[in-house]
């Protein structure tokens, strides 16, 4: 059969005369919205990672101790948990980019105020807690809106590659931001790093204000916020693959954070010679996430969730490595592998959500996902110390590894997790997962 160009010589001539795409230009699938979202995410991640370090040093330099640092961190986390579901419902009722810009404006004001307090000298603990709480509130509204906006900015065919590049850019910016923030704190103090973060939110919000939402269908009038939340819950609970993995990660994230935030520094101090080896391990994890994102830009596993869930098993390795403990080099190798695995899961998970969840419900479902992912983290970190006292550090770490392995094996018993396959079109309702499973069973 002849191609259209063969049938019409003018088509061939036009194709010959058309200028080739210049090297270095963005790929065709990276449209205006995706480019703006990625650029803004890079800017905010550079600022925010440095600001996390700066806020801790601001507390310490004002005369606080480790407990005060924990209180400021908790003040940021509590409103994030409380307002996530409301943020998700609001982002599905209003244009998402407006919610994102408003959240960025709140974060800009809160961080600028935090910086002014620190630069003025001797900020009070309650003031820092209030401002950290405002930052967490902004993040609660921003997160679900951002995820929904990102997923609506790419097509199904290129979604996996787009999500991989976005995550790689975010991780790279985070690594650079943490390193830059540490250097700037040492040179100029934490106040100026907080001020830079406020400026980063201002720049990012300005970029997000130019997002074009004309392609997004108009929202149908709803029955109120509670009705929207109930509708989002039905969407979430009606998909076994979705709620089972979120329940899995409620525990997996909690024990991973407990192991790495509480036990990791202690093992480094007592067994590895100080903080240097643990810093190397964390850097190796960051490098692994970038490597995993590069891998997922090329690899498109057909059974999305099966590939992603199998890559959750390596998340048990850092806890086991700390329990042994491994040498600094061995621990760094384990953390690199874990970083790669996290990205394979993360990209597969985002692609599955993009494929299966209707566009008008993406933010509400993302809010339930976020809530499950972070809801148990404060409890796990609070219980890490008592668990060490009761069971011993090594036993507590082996327990973390065992929980990850057992929960991941349990999730693999869910048929839709094993059978959901990659498509290039979005699904409209939960029954479409059954169709995906049927197509996975059919020959070819």
């Amino acid at each position: 059969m002849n191609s259209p160009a063969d049938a019409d010589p003018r088509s061939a001539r036009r194709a010959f005369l058309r200028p080739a795409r210049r090297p270095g230009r963005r790929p065709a699938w990276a449209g205006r919205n995706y480019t703006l979202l990625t650029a803004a995410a890079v800017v905010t991640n550079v600022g925010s990672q440095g600001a996390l370090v700066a806020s801790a040093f601001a507390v310490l330099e004002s005369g606080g101790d480790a407990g005060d640092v924990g209180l400021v961190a908790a003040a940021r986390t509590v409103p994030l948990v409380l307002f996530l579901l409301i943020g998700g419902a609001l982002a599905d009722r209003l244009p998402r980019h407006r919610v994102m810009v408003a959240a960025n404006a709140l974060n800009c004001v809160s961080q600028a105020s935090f910086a002014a307090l620190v630069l003025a000298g001797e900020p009070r603990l309650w003031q820092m807690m209030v401002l950290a709480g405002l930052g967490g509130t902004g993040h609660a509204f921003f997160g679900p809106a951002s995820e929904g906006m990102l997923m609506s900015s790419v097509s199904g065919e290129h979604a996996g590659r787009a999500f991989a590049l976005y995550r790689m850019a975010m991780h790279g910016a985070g690594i650079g931001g943490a390193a830059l923030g540490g250097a700037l704190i040492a040179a100029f103090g934490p106040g100026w790093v907080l001020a830079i973060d406020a400026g980063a939110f201002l720049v990012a919000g300005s970029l997000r204000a130019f997002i074009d939402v004309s392609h997004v269908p108009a929202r149908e009038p709803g029955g109120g916020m509670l009705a929207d939340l109930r509708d989002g819950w039905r969407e979430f609970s009606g998909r076994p693959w979705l709620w089972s993995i979120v329940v899995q990660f409620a525990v997996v994230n909690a024990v991973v954070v407990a192991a790495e935030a509480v036990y990791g520094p202690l093992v480094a101090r007592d067994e590895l010679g100080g903080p240097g080896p643990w810093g190397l391990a964390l850097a190796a994890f960051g490098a692994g996430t970038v490597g995993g994102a590069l891998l997922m830009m090329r690899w498109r596993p057909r059974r999305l969730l099966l590939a992603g869930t199998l890559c959750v098993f390596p998340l048990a390795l850092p806890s086991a490595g700390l329990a042994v403990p491994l040498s600094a080099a061995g621990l760094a190798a384990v953390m690199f592998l874990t970083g790669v695995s996290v990205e394979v899961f993360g990209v597969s998970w985002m692609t599955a959500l993009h494929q299966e969840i209707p566009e008008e419900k993406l933010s509400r479902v993302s809010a339930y996902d976020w809530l499950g992912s972070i809801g148990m983290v404060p409890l796990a970190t609070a219980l890490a110390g008592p668990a060490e006292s009761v069971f011993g550090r090594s036993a507590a770490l082996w327990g973390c590894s065992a929980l990850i392995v057992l929960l991941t094996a349990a999730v693999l018993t869910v048929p839709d997790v094993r059978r959901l396959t990659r498509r290039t079109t979005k699904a409209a309702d939960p029954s479409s997962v059954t169709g995906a499973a049927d197509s996975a069973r059919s020959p070819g």
Side-chain angles (χ1 to χ4, degrees), residues 174-216:
I175 295 169
L180 179 62
L184 291 176
I185 291 169
F188 304 107
W192 289 108
V193 175
L194 291 167
I196 290 171
D197 188 37
F201 279 116
L202 178 63
V203 172
S206 300
L207 290 172
R208 288 164 177 141
F210 289 100
I211 292 174
D212 179 14
V213 295
S214 60
H215 67 287
V216 178

Side-chain angles (χ1 to χ4, degrees), residues 394-409:
S394 180
L397 285 163
W398 283 118
C400 291
S401 292
L403 280 173
I404 295 171
V405 171
L406 289 174
L407 285 167
T408 305

Side-chain angles (χ1 to χ4, degrees), residues 135-147:
T137 301
H139 198 47
F141 286 88
F142 174 83
S146 173
E147 195 155 316

Side-chain angles (χ1 to χ4, degrees), residues 76-429:
R76 182 181 297 108
T77 304
V78 169
L80 175 60
V81 173
L82 290 178
F83 292 114
L84 262 175
L85 295 183
I86 297 174
L90 190 67
D92 279 340
R93 293 175 70 88
L94 302 175
R96 292 188 180 112
H97 72 305
R98 292 184 182 175
V99 177
M100 296 165 69
V101 171
N104 284 166
L106 176 59
N107 286 130
C108 176
V109 171
S110 65
Q111 289 296 73
S113 302
F114 201 159
L117 281 174
V118 174
L119 291 171
E122 297 187 6
R124 297 183 179 180
L125 179 62
W126 71 266
Q127 294 172 324
M128 293 186 283
M129 290 178 65
V130 168
L131 292 171
L134 288 175
T137 301
H139 198 47
F141 286 88
F142 174 83
S146 173
E147 195 155 316
M149 192 72 248
L150 175 67
M151 291 183 185
S152 69
S153 71
V154 297
S155 66
E157 181 182 358
H158 301 293
R161 182 177 298 175
F163 297 148
L165 179 59
Y166 179 85
R167 290 172 66 92
M168 181 174 65
M170 283 187 60
H171 289 309
I175 295 169
L180 179 62
L184 291 176
I185 291 169
F188 304 107
W192 289 108
V193 175
L194 291 167
I196 290 171
D197 188 37
F201 279 116
L202 178 63
V203 172
S206 300
L207 290 172
R208 288 164 177 141
F210 289 100
I211 292 174
D212 179 14
V213 295
S214 60
H215 67 287
V216 178
R219 308 295 186 208
E220 295 293 332
M225 185 71 70
L226 289 178
D228 285 351
L229 289 173
R230 286 195 297 268
D231 192 27
W233 173 252
R234 285 193 294 269
E235 191 73 32
F236 174 82
S237 61
R239 302 174 185 268
W241 63 268
L242 178 55
W243 63 257
S244 63
I245 290 179
V246 170
V247 169
Q248 171 202 14
F249 267 85
V251 178
V252 168
N253 280 341
V255 298
V256 166
V257 171
E260 296 184 1
V262 179
Y263 298 136
L266 294 175
V267 172
R269 182 195 66 187
D270 297 340
E271 307 287 347
L272 301 178
W278 185 236
L280 175 64
L282 294 177
F285 175 81
T289 60
V290 174
L294 284 170
L295 171 65
M296 293 305 289
M297 289 186 67
R298 295 182 174 274
W299 185 38
R300 301 173 72 243
R302 182 167 178 264
R303 298 198 182 191
L304 286 167
L305 294 181
L306 177 60
T309 302
L310 288 174
C311 285
V312 179
F313 283 111
L315 271 64
L317 294 177
S319 297
L322 290 169
V324 172
L326 294 176
S327 66
L331 194 57
V334 163
M335 292 291 281
F336 179 85
L337 175 61
T338 304
V340 173
S341 301
V342 163
E343 283 309 289
V344 174
F345 172 81
V347 174
S348 298
W349 178 246
M350 291 185 71
T351 305
L353 290 176
H354 172 268
Q355 172 178 293
E356 299 296 327
I357 306 301
E359 190 278 335
E360 68 276 8
K361 299 177 183 179
L362 277 170
S363 291
R364 276 168 286 178
V365 170
S366 294
Y368 282 107
D369 177 19
W370 275 57
L371 183 61
S373 298
I374 66 173
M376 291 183 65
V377 169
L379 178 63
T381 53
L383 292 177
E388 181 183 17
S389 300
V390 174
F391 304 108
R393 187 186 301 163
S394 180
L397 285 163
W398 283 118
C400 291
S401 292
L403 280 173
I404 295 171
V405 171
L406 289 174
L407 285 167
T408 305
V411 164
L412 287 174
T413 67
V414 179
D416 290 338
V417 172
R418 301 192 308 272
R419 298 170 181 167
L420 190 144
T421 56
R422 181 186 298 272
R423 297 194 308 275
T424 58
T425 56
K426 287 180 65 67
D429 55 65

